[in-house]
């Protein structure tokens, strides 16, 4: 049983995420990139359709040439932009059409969306690549402060809903951190730091292991 007031606190946290986004318009590109990569992970679990991910892709393109957008040299941003570069040709037809048609998007775009992002970000496009891709995405975006710590754990838990066998220890920890964040408002400053440390240490270990 969750303690009283949790629903209202979650709503306040979601409003806080929107306030964070409004306060940092220069990171709209990074946020759009975050949601696009996350959408690719959800597509792999059939929780998002190809049309939704194509729209997310189009939203990233809107900000690419915006001069106010903050750019970084982080691995996360550079690999995300490489995904966009490799997707330009296979998605050109559907991205040019603002009127989404699910069957057409699925036929033209789905295979590229399921293959290219995990290959670029994780190094493979196998079924076990999508959850770590989502985790690397959340960790990288949080490091850039494009999203809040609570958003980062929420993104991971959203994909973790499908109980991926890999990275189970990370998922268990992240779920616990999200619950604590929702139930203990007075602890949120320390939880912010704990979330950052956990994702940074996991990412470092993951990349080191993957490089061997």
């Amino acid at each position: 049983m969750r303690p009283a007031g949790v629903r209202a606190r979650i709503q306040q946290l979601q409003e806080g995420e929107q306030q964070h986004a409004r306060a940092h318009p220069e990171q709209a590109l990074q946020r759009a990139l975050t949601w696009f990569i996350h959408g690719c992970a959800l597509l792999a679990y059939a929780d998002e359709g190809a049309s939704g991910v194509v729209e997310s892709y189009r939203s990233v393109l809107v900000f690419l040439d915006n001069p106010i957008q903050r750019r970084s040299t982080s691995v996360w941003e550079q690999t995300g932009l490489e995904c966009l570069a490799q997707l330009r040709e296979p998605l050109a037809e559907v991205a040019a059409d603002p009127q989404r048609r699910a069957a057409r998007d699925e036929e033209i775009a789905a295979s590229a969306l399921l293959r290219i992002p995990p290959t670029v970000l994780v190094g493979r496009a196998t079924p076990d690549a999508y959850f770590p891709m989502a985790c690397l995405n959340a960790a990288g975006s949080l490091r850039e402060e494009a999203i809040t710590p609570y958003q980062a754990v929420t993104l991971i838990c959203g994909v973790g809903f499908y109980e991926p066998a890999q990275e189970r220890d990370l998922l268990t920890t992240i779920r616990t951190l999200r619950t604590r964040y929702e139930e203990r408002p007075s602890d949120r400053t320390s939880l912010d730091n704990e979330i950052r440390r956990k994702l940074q240490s996991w990412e470092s270990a993951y990349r080191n292991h993957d490089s061997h």
Side-chain angles (χ1 to χ4, degrees), residues 120-131:
V120 174
L121 274 78
V122 183
R124 61 187 188 279
T126 52
D128 65 345
Y130 299 103
F131 183 66

Side-chain angles (χ1 to χ4, degrees), residues 125-196:
T126 52
D128 65 345
Y130 299 103
F131 183 66
M133 179 177 78
C135 295
L136 290 170
N137 180 48
S141 183
L142 176 59
R143 184 180 294 106
E144 293 295 318
E145 300 292 341
I147 60 174
T148 66
Y150 180 70
Q151 275 182 298
V153 295
T154 300
L155 289 174
I156 293 172
C157 290
V159 178
F161 175 80
Y162 300 98
E163 294 291 343
Q166 68 277 24
E167 313 302 336
R168 184 60 55 82
D169 290 344
L170 174 68
L171 179 57
T172 299
T173 300
I174 291 299
R175 282 174 168 164
T176 299
L177 287 167
R178 182 182 66 168
T179 299
R180 290 168 57 198
Y181 210 99
E182 293 168 353
E183 295 182 356
R184 305 177 192 173
S186 62
D187 292 349
R188 286 177 185 164
T189 299
S190 62
L191 285 168
D192 283 346
N193 294 328
E194 191 173 346
I195 290 166
R196 289 187 176 93

Side-chain angles (χ1 to χ4, degrees), residues 27-187:
Q27 290 186 279
L29 170 61
Q30 292 179 331
R31 286 190 297 274
L33 188 61
T34 303
W35 288 110
F36 167 66
I37 296 171
H38 188 70
C40 291
L42 292 179
L43 178 64
Y45 294 104
D47 193 28
E48 178 67 275
S51 289
V53 184
V54 171
E55 275 304 304
S56 185
Y57 170 79
R58 283 165 50 87
S59 73
V60 181
L61 297 183
V62 167
F63 295 110
L64 269 183
D65 297 322
N66 185 321
I68 78 159
Q69 291 304 303
R70 172 184 165 186
R71 304 298 284 266
S72 84
T73 58
S74 68
V75 171
W76 169 74
E77 184 169 315
Q78 294 307 305
T79 52
L81 294 176
E82 177 60 24
C83 287
L84 300 183
Q86 293 192 27
L87 285 165
R88 275 192 180 273
E89 183 175 345
L91 297 192
E93 181 180 346
V94 292
D97 183 0
Q99 303 299 318
R100 304 265 59 80
R101 291 187 289 278
R104 180 168 172 266
D105 288 344
E106 192 74 28
E107 178 182 356
I108 296 174
S111 62
L113 291 168
L114 290 171
R115 184 185 76 256
I116 291 173
T119 300
V120 174
L121 274 78
V122 183
R124 61 187 188 279
T126 52
D128 65 345
Y130 299 103
F131 183 66
M133 179 177 78
C135 295
L136 290 170
N137 180 48
S141 183
L142 176 59
R143 184 180 294 106
E144 293 295 318
E145 300 292 341
I147 60 174
T148 66
Y150 180 70
Q151 275 182 298
V153 295
T154 300
L155 289 174
I156 293 172
C157 290
V159 178
F161 175 80
Y162 300 98
E163 294 291 343
Q166 68 277 24
E167 313 302 336
R168 184 60 55 82
D169 290 344
L170 174 68
L171 179 57
T172 299
T173 300
I174 291 299
R175 282 174 168 164
T176 299
L177 287 167
R178 182 182 66 168
T179 299
R180 290 168 57 198
Y181 210 99
E182 293 168 353
E183 295 182 356
R184 305 177 192 173
S186 62
D187 292 349

